Amino acid sequence: MTIRNLLFAGTALVSLALPFAASAQDAVPDQTEDPQAADAAPGQGEIIVTARRRAETAQDVPLAISVIGAESIEATGNFNINKLQQITPTLQVYSSNPRNTAVNIRGLGVPFGLTSDGFEQGVGIYVDDVYNARVAAAVFDFLDVSQVEVLRGPQGTLYGKNTTAGAINITTNQPTFDFEGKAEVSLGNLQFKQAKAAISGPLSDTIAARIAVSTTSRRGTIFNVKSDRWINEQDNFGLRGQLLFKPSEDLSITLAGDYSDQQPECCGTVFVRVGRTQRALARQYDALAALQGYSVVSKNPFDRLTDIDASLNAGNKIGGASLKVKWDVGPGTLTSITAWRFWDWKPENDRDFTGLPIVSKSQNPSQQDQYSQEIRYNYSADKIDFVVGAFGFKQRIDTQGTEQHGAASSKWNLTGAQANDPSILNGLTAINTQWLKSTSAALFGQVSWKVTDALTIQPGVRLNYDKKSGFYERKVFDAQGNPVLFGQTDPIKVAQRGVFSPQVSSPSVSDWNFSYDLTLSYKIAPDILTYATYAKSFKTVGINQNGLPTDAAGNPITSAGVIKPESVNHFEAGIKTQFWDRRATFNLSAFRTEIKNYQATVTNGQLGVLRGYLANAGKVRSQGLEADFSVRPSERFTAYASAAYTDAKYVKFVDAPCPPELSGGTTVGAGQTPSAPGTPGGLSPANCDISGQRLPGVSKWSFSYGAEVNAPVTLLAKDGQIYFGVDGNYRSNFSSNPSPSDYTWIKGYALTNFRAGFRTDGFDVYGWVRNAFDVNYFELLQVAPSNVGLIAGQPGDPRTWGGTIKFSF
């Protein structure tokens, strides 16, 4: 609590001090640490990145990297990680709520579906060099961001165990010793309101400060007839403050603090379709709904109507503080980054996706604290560049869960006379208590040896140690508060255990891993770079933190408590070019990534027994081609286009969970053959072989493009430019279920955005239209529990429009 109080006090002090300091003293020369770009070529300036933990131009980095500048982020309305995939074809972001968010690159990263705290993400997310351990802790609005780098392919040498698929490196604007500020206001339909402001300047000759604030609100896109409210809204607030102490040219110390608060009524779904499962016909959705006289409010999902009856909330508080010290020591730079982050998650969900009181309460709030320390030394000379360092990390997550069934649950989940007795399941409650402790330490290094002016050899290594321990306890109580226990033979207790079963588990594991990579790069010409990379990486060992599968007697299978680390072999080759006097850039990369013991999500289809756990798939593979092109023939026109072909599939997964059309029937016995998919009352396999099928969430083809044209004009006695821009993206179809199902394929779609405005020095006003052609598409489809065949979904945003005014000084 003391650290949090210091954080809030510090940001408040910055906000109070800045206006007085700025007016009290003259501006002094800019002494920030931002690297100076190389001399701009006739076509365009260089883009500076820190992908290799040092400042260099993007075209000199032998790595597939997408760089999105602040102007592109703002112009396209991509104000958080969820929306970045619209301008980065190989990035996939899918979210049923902030906690259950998947950020993947090239189809790899995290398993699709419910999130477990017991394993690592495969795409590391960094803000000003500070690692965010959970994806949910990084779904804040971008605040005063300078640029975002999306590093494609394993980055384990410099970024660690959590980057088997890549990394997202977010850089914010730093304090300046020249007074500056900016403000932005946007208004649009759906009651959209967004405001951003930042101010920076000197407090003394050696201290500079910067503070930024943003707020975003928007009416929801789905109307809930039950509550008479629009849901899936936006309600976000963010604050960031920084103090820079620069006593000399060789030393800088930056203290930063940030806080983000999101309180939307979210995240609900709409009815999409019903598919046949292998349950008895009377136990499937249509029959069960008719039995209770229930009909969905609309069978057209793009009516955007729902009648879900449980409370909704996606309360998400994120924040932290960091201290960054950079000290130039001789030919190198010593950097230390000390950070603390917190994440408080307060959700409420409707887990049955219907307007019936089947699951009346589903709430699993979590609290996370993480501490990290990184020290590294960068050295640069004519022939050798290197970085060496150490990293330490400590994390604790606590979760308290409450799930409760309602009056409609018995008819939905029980058979015979029990189905007509609502008291059996009405009020049945599961109380979950769990915690995770995670500790990690690493030593790393990377060397760039310039053998000749053209040839560079770059090896890298990392040694990593992890220790994880967890605890999970589920206690079950009936409506009268009596415990439901194993060993009770009362038929009612047996029925209740079939929905919620008590369990205790405490998995623990530690592991060492060694990863390495080797990159060869060769400059065919000053503006043509070729490279080839091999990387041996890993995702660390994991534990099942949300409960374990059970044997026939209901006892947890303890051997399932630990999941093996992923073993990654990655090959990549590429070429980076600039031509037409650097007016045009074209980059091409080809890659192949193979992962053994892929950490996948497994579900058993039951409503409340165990929603999902982790297991190892034998092997997955992702391979493909990526191309990026940009051109700026003159200051009057710019354009870009990016394309990706990604072939990502399970190479070997012989005991995967079955899709809904092969689930719900009697499990096959010896010598029996499973029934055809969707056969009511059929025989279901215990598990399915999905080897050769596509990984979830990834499109084979994806494209993004954009262009802007401008013309000089004088308006209101101001010399400036009028401009018109267009941005678009396309994704081909993809699976929205861990095991591909005929019912959960999302059709491909294309989105188009337009903007037009006037800008001059320090002023920009423009109007915008996003999803201009009002395309109907889904972001996510979900299989409802119990194998009843119900498919629910989250439609993407409809057409939105509005205007933005920006000032800077």
Side-chain angles (χ1 to χ4, degrees):
M1 187 61 69
T2 301
I3 296 179
R4 297 192 190 191
N5 290 339
L6 288 174
L7 166 61
F8 298 144
T11 52
L13 178 63
V14 172
S15 62
L16 289 172
L18 253 177
F20 294 102
S23 60
Q25 61 180 6
D26 296 332
V28 295
D30 185 0
Q31 302 178 52
T32 62
E33 301 173 324
D34 293 341
Q36 296 297 312
D39 292 339
Q44 58 195 62
E46 299 285 4
I47 298 173
I48 303 299
V49 298
T50 56
R52 293 193 291 182
R53 301 302 199 188
R54 59 181 182 267
E56 53 193 334
T57 64
Q59 287 299 107
D60 286 335
V61 179
L63 169 70
I65 179 172
S66 301
V67 184
I68 306 102
E71 290 186 3
S72 295
I73 291 171
E74 294 171 359
T76 55
N78 294 282
F79 56 84
N80 57 33
I81 285 177
N82 285 6
K83 295 182 177 295
L84 270 186
Q85 62 179 326
Q86 295 183 11
I87 49 179
T88 310
T90 50
L91 182 67
Q92 299 94 34
V93 184
Y94 304 104
S95 176
S96 59
N97 59 45
R99 179 182 181 85
N100 293 317
T101 299
V103 178
N104 288 352
I105 293 175
R106 297 170 172 171
L108 304 174
V110 293
F112 209 72
L114 294 169
T115 300
S116 169
D117 295 325
F119 75 109
E120 308 297 325
Q121 59 202 51
V123 177
I125 300 174
Y126 294 79
V127 181
D128 291 338
D129 285 347
V130 176
Y131 171 51
N132 288 261
R134 305 246 64 85
V135 173
V139 293
F140 42 72
D141 286 359
F142 291 150
L143 178 58
D144 200 23
V145 166
S146 172
Q147 70 182 28
V148 178
E149 303 167 18
V150 180
L151 316 181
R152 310 194 295 265
Q155 306 297 320
T157 297
L158 295 182
Y159 288 85
K161 60 190 171 66
N162 52 289
T163 56
T164 52
I168 297 176
N169 195 19
I170 301 170
T171 304
T172 67
N173 292 309
Q174 299 299 295
T176 60
F177 282 91
D178 288 324
F179 180 63
E180 66 179 34
K182 60 181 181 179
E184 173 183 327
V185 176
S186 299
L187 298 175
N189 66 330
L190 305 182
Q191 301 172 19
F192 175 73
K193 297 183 285 291
Q194 186 175 71
K196 301 179 182 179
I199 189 170
S200 180
L203 299 180
S204 71
D205 290 342
T206 58
I207 299 176
R210 187 179 193 97
I211 189 167
V213 64
S214 74
T215 179
T216 302
S217 64
R218 192 187 75 176
R219 193 205 75 191
T221 55
I222 297 174
F223 188 74
N224 188 349
V225 300
K226 210 80 162 206
S227 63
D228 197 33
R229 289 175 57 89
W230 290 93
I231 62 172
N232 294 11
E233 61 190 1
Q234 294 175 2
D235 183 8
N236 305 338
F237 169 79
L239 178 68
R240 184 176 183 86
Q242 299 177 82
L243 282 172
L244 169 64
F245 175 48
K246 195 169 178 67
S248 69
E249 287 297 318
D250 297 331
L251 178 64
S252 66
I253 302 172
T254 304
L255 174 65
D258 67 278
Y259 174 76
S260 176
D261 188 7
Q262 304 167 0
Q263 297 295 332
E265 186 174 353
C266 189
C267 299
T269 57
V270 297
F271 174 97
V272 175
R273 65 175 65 98
V274 174
R276 285 279 185 256
T277 74
Q278 293 187 337
R279 261 192 163 202
L281 194 59
R283 307 303 303 157
Q284 298 202 35
Y285 175 83
D286 290 334
L288 290 170
L291 188 64
Q292 305 207 42
Y294 172 73
S295 59
V296 68
V297 62
S298 173
K299 290 190 174 183
N300 179 358
F302 297 106
D303 285 342
R304 300 179 184 272
L305 296 174
T306 190
D307 61 350
I308 53 178
D309 59 329
S311 299
L312 294 180
N313 187 34
N316 209 26
K317 294 183 179 181
I318 307 165
S322 66
L323 182 67
K324 184 174 184 177
V325 180
K326 292 189 70 174
W327 183 21
D328 291 337
V329 183
T333 300
L334 185 67
T335 303
S336 170
I337 303 146
T338 307
W340 160 74
R341 306 284 311 158
F342 75 87
W343 167 49
D344 290 342
W345 168 238
K346 294 184 179 180
E348 296 179 81
N349 302 294
D350 192 318
R351 282 292 303 152
D352 58 55
F353 305 141
T354 74
L356 290 169
I358 302 168
V359 179
S360 57
K361 183 182 291 187
S362 179
Q363 303 169 5
N364 289 276
S366 295
Q367 306 83 41
Q368 172 195 276
D369 279 285
Q370 68 164 70
Y371 300 86
S372 61
Q373 173 65 57
E374 182 170 353
I375 299 175
R376 62 177 184 262
Y377 179 73
N378 292 71
Y379 171 89
S380 183
D382 291 340
K383 288 293 185 181
I384 294 287
D385 295 336
F386 71 79
V387 56
V388 294
F391 177 78
F393 174 80
K394 189 177 182 65
Q395 173 190 43
R396 174 158 181 146
I397 303 178
D398 290 278
T399 301
Q400 312 83 34
T402 302
E403 296 184 61
Q404 189 174 79
H405 278 235
S409 184
S410 291
K411 280 189 182 295
W412 201 262
N413 292 293
L414 303 180
T415 59
Q418 288 185 334
N420 297 316
D421 185 353
S423 67
I424 295 178
L425 297 184
N426 189 19
L428 181 68
T429 303
I431 305 295
N432 304 326
T433 302
Q434 62 189 84
W435 53 256
L436 170 75
K437 297 178 183 178
S438 179
T439 302
S440 182
L443 298 173
F444 60 89
Q446 187 182 80
V447 178
S448 294
W449 175 31
K450 303 166 190 173
V451 181
T452 69
D453 290 341
L455 175 64
T456 299
I457 301 175
Q458 178 185 283
V461 296
R462 191 179 188 102
L463 178 65
N464 205 91
Y465 171 76
D466 283 281
K467 182 178 180 179
K468 295 182 179 181
S469 58
F471 174 78
Y472 175 88
E473 182 179 36
R474 166 174 281 185
K475 295 182 178 180
V476 182
F477 303 92
D478 63 19
Q480 290 73 42
N482 301 311
V484 177
L485 305 171
F486 283 106
Q488 295 171 333
T489 57
D490 181 351
I492 290 178
K493 297 298 182 184
V494 173
Q496 291 170 340
R497 282 203 306 270
V499 174
F500 286 147
S501 59
Q503 185 178 122
V504 177
S505 62
S506 53
S508 180
V509 68
S510 62
D511 194 32
W512 288 88
N513 286 96
F514 180 69
S515 57
Y516 54 90
D517 56 40
L518 177 65
T519 299
L520 304 179
S521 59
Y522 188 82
K523 278 204 168 186
I524 299 174
D527 289 327
I528 303 177
L529 175 71
T530 60
Y531 65 91
T533 296
Y534 168 73
K536 176 68 174 178
S537 189
F538 76 99
K539 185 192 288 185
T540 188
V541 66
I543 61 174
N544 267 306
Q545 188 59 22
N546 294 340
L548 300 177
T550 57
D551 58 22
N555 299 311
I557 302 173
T558 57
S559 61
V562 175
I563 51 173
K564 298 176 184 177
E566 293 182 352
S567 176
V568 182
N569 282 287
H570 173 76
F571 306 85
E572 184 160 342
I575 183 170
K576 293 185 157 188
T577 69
Q578 286 186 305
F579 52 95
W580 195 11
D581 209 9
R582 292 192 178 178
R583 292 179 173 87
T585 299
F586 177 73
N587 299 333
L588 181 68
S589 60
F591 65 91
R592 181 183 176 95
T593 305
E594 299 175 344
I595 302 179
K596 293 182 179 179
N597 294 320
Y598 181 72
Q599 296 172 355
T601 298
V602 174
T603 56
N604 63 359
Q606 296 302 307
L607 191 78
V609 177
L610 187 65
R611 287 192 291 167
Y613 61 98
L614 296 172
N616 292 106
K619 186 178 180 180
V620 302
R621 185 218 64 208
S622 178
Q623 61 184 11
L625 295 170
E626 300 163 343
D628 300 282
F629 173 74
S630 63
V631 63
R632 187 178 183 182
S634 74
E635 63 180 12
R636 300 292 168 222
F637 179 75
T638 61
Y640 72 89
S642 299
Y645 169 76
T646 308
D647 176 19
K649 69 178 184 180
Y650 299 103
V651 175
K652 184 179 181 182
F653 196 1
V654 298
D655 54 353
C658 292
E661 58 265 41
L662 286 171
S663 301
T666 303
T667 303
V668 295
Q672 293 181 313
T673 301
S675 303
T679 301
L683 295 173
S684 298
N687 44 54
C688 286
D689 184 351
I690 60 172
S691 303
Q693 298 196 47
R694 199 191 309 179
L695 288 173
V698 58
S699 300
K700 278 198 171 183
W701 294 98
S702 54
F703 306 94
S704 63
Y705 66 90
E708 184 180 290
V709 61
N710 67 72
V713 69
T714 300
L715 186 64
L716 300 177
K718 296 281 189 180
D719 292 333
Q721 300 173 347
I722 57 171
Y723 62 91
F724 174 80
V726 58
D727 296 277
N729 68 93
Y730 166 78
R731 292 181 180 271
S732 62
N733 71 341
F734 60 89
S735 168
S736 188
N737 197 55
S739 295
S741 166
D742 290 340
Y743 309 144
T744 57
W745 283 96
I746 292 180
K747 295 179 179 179
Y749 58 85
L751 305 178
T752 309
N753 311 319
F754 297 105
R755 64 185 182 278
F758 169 78
R759 62 184 168 224
T760 186
D761 289 341
F763 177 75
D764 189 0
V765 56
Y766 61 95
W768 43 265
V769 181
R770 291 159 190 154
N771 189 7
F773 301 113
D774 203 19
V775 173
N776 288 329
Y777 68 101
F778 290 108
E779 292 185 343
L780 193 69
L781 296 180
Q782 296 175 262
V783 178
S786 296
N787 290 313
V788 297
L790 172 62
I791 307 297
Q794 292 180 329
D797 284 352
R799 178 192 297 121
T800 58
W801 49 267
T804 298
I805 300 176
K806 298 164 59 177
F807 300 90
S808 62
F809 53 89

